[in-house]
Amino acid sequence: MFAQRCRVDPPRLIYTPHDAMRPKKVPARFVFVLLVGVLLASVAAEYVRPPPGRVILTESSQPPSHPQQVHVSLVGANHMRVSWVTDAKHGHSVVDYGRASGNYTSSATGEHTSYRYFLYSSGKIHHVTIGPLDPGTVYYYRCGMVGDEFTLKTPPAALPVELALAGDLGQTEWTASTLAHVSKTDYDVLLVPGDLAYADTQQPLWDTFGRFVQTHASRRPWMVTEGNHEVEAGMALPGSPTPFVAYTTRWRMPHEESGSPSALYYSFEVAGGAVHVVMLGSYAGYNSTSEQYGWLARDLARVDRRATPWLVVLLHAPWYNTNAAHAGEGEAMRKAMERLLFDARVDVVFSGHVHAYERFTRVYNNEANPCGPVYITIGDGGNREGLAFDFQKNHKLARLSLMREASFGHGRLSVLNATTARWAWHRNDDADSTIRDQLWLESLSANGACRRANPADDSWSDEL
């Protein structure tokens, strides 16, 4: 379970035309030796954890007026936001759409914006909200009245619903592998707990990332929250860029619709309100006097667990972590906000930041508790920095950690009905995706013992 540290080579760059961009098969790393005359009943091949993949810089092959970096996100119960960029400063912020290819029976007009980051000037960034849309339906759409046709599928109106998760993505060969594995099986929404482009102030990397993920992000809604690589704070000088300017301008999420005063945290619902998802901001104020704390308290208080049996939370810096990487970075936020999540009976909390996979038992206040959330770190999407190998066997939380592995991969939360969900973590085994961890979850709203106002905080030894 505890990987040996492997040699990590510096990431190399691959320039790829956008139209030629396809997920690549990764060369096999398993070695099987055939010894003539020796019959082996079985071969136990140890998995070789990969170094960082090469960075893929996806160039645009579109005319300046044509849409690129197309992605969609959820807005309310039956609307979706279509976002894209054009290099030309002119163009229409219009989306035409319908249920048949080339037959656009509806049209919506939105808005456009742009930003500057020192000497960099972004293209024209368009955001258009379309709808009302029917649930579980494929729509064909075209942006700006020019260019390619895209398709999207809306989430279902009721359970079951499939939520895919991939954190700390970047734009490497391993990111391509992760997203290819995500798309091999249908899903309804992709959740990203921070660290998207790894631009780190190099603004053209936001453009290459948008083109890199377009194939996937234009087909299903991507709901994201910020990580440390989104901060991009300028120098403390007049006219310097404000933090998060690229992230909030390009990846607009429905914070206003959820009553949030900030683009750095928000909530939304899927499956007709059966699942309430809260996206917290690890890099926004979070103490008891902060706007985020007040908003979270109000947001959770509005959730009726009879109508919304599932509560899911995402944030970037994990509150529970036995890896030496980023040790303790989420502790202050945990101390400030954990009680809100516990009292609301949040079912599961996903985080990123640590480039590995780790799953804890149900926890509250550093102790196993059957009424606390399951905490899962999934910061293993494929980033350029490599994996976090240094899990600490003697960590004070090791007794609560049930599964940990430093490998690239993604997760899937299949919410089947009001009481039952299945979680599975898929490791990127070369060209294949292998389930390495899974469990069944019972919604805390269905657990009679957890409906008490003040459940005991004593320790429990069972997994759930």
Side-chain angles (χ1 to χ4, degrees):
M1 183 174 294
F2 300 99
Q4 298 295 319
R5 188 180 298 274
C6 67
R7 179 175 66 86
V8 175
D9 297 320
R12 293 165 289 172
L13 303 182
I14 301 176
Y15 290 86
T16 307
H18 173 55
D19 286 350
M21 177 61 189
R22 296 291 185 271
K24 298 180 176 62
K25 289 188 177 181
V26 180
R29 297 180 183 273
F30 288 111
V31 178
F32 295 93
V33 180
L34 178 62
L35 300 177
V36 178
V38 179
L39 179 62
L40 299 178
S42 63
V43 178
E46 182 180 357
Y47 177 70
V48 179
R49 290 172 179 81
R54 293 177 292 178
V55 176
I56 300 173
L57 301 181
T58 309
E59 296 180 319
S60 176
S61 60
Q62 298 290 336
S65 61
H66 283 216
Q68 56 169 287
Q69 307 176 48
V70 179
H71 60 271
V72 297
S73 54
L74 300 175
V75 185
N78 55 4
H79 289 73
M80 295 182 74
R81 179 177 287 119
V82 182
S83 303
W84 72 94
V85 177
T86 53
D87 287 333
K89 298 304 180 182
H90 55 84
H92 302 284
S93 300
V94 174
V95 173
D96 300 308
Y97 60 101
R99 297 192 185 193
S101 177
N103 184 17
Y104 308 127
T105 56
S106 300
S107 182
T109 302
E111 58 186 14
H112 63 268
T113 185
S114 62
Y115 72 95
R116 292 189 61 86
Y117 194 96
F118 293 113
L119 298 179
Y120 172 88
S121 180
S122 75
K124 193 173 183 180
I125 302 170
H126 306 258
H127 299 289
V128 177
T129 299
I130 62 174
L133 305 172
D134 291 330
T137 302
V138 173
Y139 285 89
Y140 298 81
Y141 67 100
R142 189 173 65 167
C143 307
M145 299 186 289
V146 294
D148 297 332
E149 180 182 76
F150 298 90
T151 61
L152 64 83
K153 185 180 179 182
T154 56
L159 297 175
V161 67
E162 179 96 349
L163 305 177
L165 289 102
D168 297 67
L169 283 172
Q171 42 193 311
T172 72
E173 293 173 305
W174 284 108
T175 315
S177 175
T178 296
L179 294 178
H181 293 156
V182 170
S183 295
K184 279 184 178 178
T185 306
D186 196 20
Y187 65 97
D188 298 303
V189 182
L190 179 71
L191 307 179
V192 182
D195 283 359
L196 281 72
Y198 282 77
D200 295 321
T201 75
Q202 301 178 60
Q203 296 306 298
L205 290 180
W206 278 106
D207 295 307
T208 60
F209 176 78
R211 295 189 285 264
F212 178 84
V213 302
Q214 175 179 281
T215 299
H216 308 279
S218 61
R219 297 175 56 250
R220 297 291 185 275
W222 280 35
M223 307 303 290
V224 305
T225 190
E226 84 278 3
N228 55 300
H229 288 275
E230 275 72 67
V231 178
E232 297 187 307
M235 296 178 291
L237 297 173
S240 294
T242 58
F244 304 105
V245 62
Y247 166 72
T248 56
T249 306
R250 294 170 181 269
W251 291 81
R252 184 173 296 179
M253 294 291 114
H255 73 94
E256 295 172 332
E257 290 80 1
S258 63
S260 167
S262 170
L264 302 181
Y265 48 89
Y266 63 98
S267 66
F268 65 96
E269 293 183 341
V270 292
V275 183
H276 186 81
V277 182
V278 179
M279 310 290 272
L280 294 180
S282 292
Y283 305 96
Y286 47 70
N287 64 31
S288 60
T289 61
S290 68
E291 287 187 330
Q292 181 173 201
Y293 185 99
W295 168 82
L296 177 61
R298 295 188 299 272
D299 185 78
L300 294 174
R302 287 194 292 265
V303 177
D304 180 357
R305 296 304 290 275
R306 294 169 295 183
T308 305
W310 290 94
L311 259 177
V312 176
V313 170
L314 273 76
L315 48 89
H316 188 61
W319 293 358
Y320 289 92
N321 171 35
T322 67
N323 201 297
H326 304 299
E329 290 186 18
E331 181 65 4
M333 189 179 188
R334 181 193 71 81
K335 289 181 177 179
M337 288 186 155
E338 185 179 23
R339 186 58 189 256
L340 290 177
L341 271 57
F342 178 73
D343 286 348
R345 298 299 184 261
V346 168
D347 293 290
V348 58
V349 177
F350 295 101
S351 61
H353 204 32
V354 177
H355 300 163
Y357 174 78
E358 183 167 21
R359 174 172 62 84
F360 289 83
T361 187
R362 291 196 179 275
V363 182
Y364 174 64
N365 197 26
N366 292 317
E367 296 292 342
N369 191 302
C371 299
V374 173
Y375 284 85
I376 296 174
T377 300
I378 188 159
D380 53 357
N383 63 87
R384 59 175 166 78
E385 295 177 334
L387 295 165
F389 293 96
D390 194 6
F391 285 109
Q392 300 174 310
K393 295 181 181 180
N394 298 321
H395 194 284
K396 66 179 182 179
L397 299 176
R399 59 192 168 83
L400 305 174
S401 179
L402 302 179
M403 171 64 182
R404 41 188 173 170
E405 181 176 309
S407 299
F408 293 120
H410 78 280
R412 306 181 85 95
L413 181 65
S414 305
V415 185
L416 303 179
N417 53 48
T419 61
T420 305
R422 177 179 177 267
W423 166 253
W425 175 60
H426 300 243
R427 182 178 70 191
N428 291 359
D429 281 0
D430 296 322
D432 300 316
S433 177
T434 302
I435 295 178
R436 286 283 294 138
D437 185 40
Q438 59 182 322
L439 78 157
W440 292 94
L441 290 166
E442 179 191 33
S443 169
L444 293 180
S445 66
N447 186 332
C450 294
R451 296 195 189 113
R452 294 172 296 172
N454 295 297
D457 291 346
D458 53 335
S459 297
W460 290 65
S461 59
D462 58 322
E463 177 168 334
L464 294 177

